[in-house]
Amino acid sequence: GLSYHENWQRMWRNPTPKKSYDVIIIGGGGHGLGTAYYLAKEFGIRNVAVIEKGWLGGGNTARNTTIVRSNYLWDEAAALFEHSVKLWEGLTQELNYNVMFSQRGVLNLGHTLQDMRDIQRRVNANRLNGIDGEVLDARGVQDLEPLLDCSARARFPIMGASWQPRGGVARHDAVAWGFARGADAHGVDILQQTEVTGLMIRDGQIYGVHTNRGDIEAKTVGCVVAGNSGVLANMAGIKLPLESHPLQALVSEPLKPVVNTVVMSNHVHGYISQSDKGDLVIGAGIDGYTGYGQRGSYPIIEHTLQAIVEMFPAFSRVRMNRQWGGIVDTTPDASPIISKTNVEGLYFNCGWGTGGFKATPGSAHVFAASLAKREMHPLAAPFSIDRFHTGALVDEHGAAAVAH
Ligand code: FAD
């Protein structure tokens, strides 16, 4: 079927690194590529390089389970994630690239009275912030998901759920590739197989990066390297409040459509959706140990599948096709870090942990604005590193408890 499919047009160039750029973005995941895209498209800064040690989107962007939602508790987080969902809603048109954003809705299940009180509080907060949300009882949940065990027989019977109809899933690769093609078309140099091995800093100002392809100069450098953020920060003598943990996901053999929405349960601790191809896409929590191996351990897989079978007993005989891991950068308050540093011109956008895919366009947009103006965008400002000194934390453990 692929005979004669030759000489396809390249989606982006493969340029030789220039000696210097106005801005360097380290990390060719969705957030980094998106930052470069908005820098060029919206802020007219085109002399930009994205430096990626492997291939585009090969980090967490390629490894995540693609849940998109904005039903976070606190005003600061809700505003940032809602900014992102709004951008998602126009992203396919914006990039002229089908990112397959499917707003099939997200259910966060409640299994105890306290779960339901927390859900009510969060949905109230969401609605006050103009974010769609409803509280459903068990019957409302059952109507949306007929295969879900909503009976009183379950070990932790489902009492209800929060429901965000505008939430959903998207195609992870397409987001990276769409931003990459768009950035390249605006003149951004995308440098793959190029690893940053050191940061060039003099008199408290960044002036470039060392790479395996030589030194490249820039007075503005944005680090968007997810699980490797601690490593990059070390190069500048900065200690970030981050831990890097493996986070796993699994997909099953393809099935006919059986899961209509995204179903998440903090209590039995697992979540599931179904890809357009038919695979069940499954995840849960991080592995407890820190490390950089993109694999994870067996007890987590077992625990995750126990939770899924408890929610959907009919899946007990479904076969799993693949399992993998990514390295997520978790912070003490489960919120990201989008920040200047004490090195002039050096910025970090990290700490998205288990939940940054949904933020890709929003994070990229506010980060690009911050780099362009050298002043943090108002939506990014509450996520400065300083909050770990001042105590102004944005604690989203409740909304982010099960990894997603
Ligand atoms: P990445 O995509 O990881 O990109 C960083 C890039 O930096 C990598 O490509 C890496 O190679 C590169 N890099 C690192 N060091 C260097 C260096 N020295 N030089 C050059 N390049 C370097 N989020 C959600 O919102 N919803 C979900 O359902 C969800 N599920 C997840 C499931 C799993 C299993 C995992 C692992 C994560 C999940 N996440 C989810 C989190 C989400 O994937 C991340 O927060 C997000 O994709 C981070 O994007 P990024 O562009 O910042 O990082």
Side-chain angles (χ1 to χ4, degrees), residues 34 57 63 82 115 205 236 240 266 281 311 324 349-350 383 391:
R63 294 161 188 274
E82 179 61 13
D115 279 355
Q205 155 79 50
L240 292 175
N266 287 356
V281 182
M311 291 192 278
W324 65 89
N349 183 349
C350 60
F383 299 97

Side-chain angles (χ1 to χ4, degrees), residues 23-25 35 39 45 220-222 345-347 366-376:
V23 179
I24 286 175
I25 304 294
T35 304
L39 269 173
I45 301 179
T220 305
V221 175
L346 177 64
Y347 298 75
V366 300
F367 198 46
S370 307
L371 297 183
K373 299 189 175 144
R374 289 201 156 221
E375 194 52 56
M376 298 317 290

Side-chain angles (χ1 to χ4, degrees), residues 42-55:
E42 220 161 283
F43 302 99
I45 301 179
R46 299 202 163 84
N47 187 22
V48 176
V50 177
I51 302 186
E52 165 55 51
K53 71 175 174 180
W55 65 95

Side-chain angles (χ1 to χ4, degrees), residues 311-331:
M311 291 192 278
F312 290 90
F315 294 160
S316 65
R317 275 172 292 164
V318 174
R319 281 164 297 198
M320 292 299 130
N321 243 355
R322 285 179 291 122
Q323 167 278 348
W324 65 89
I327 300 304
V328 296
D329 41 339
T330 60
T331 60

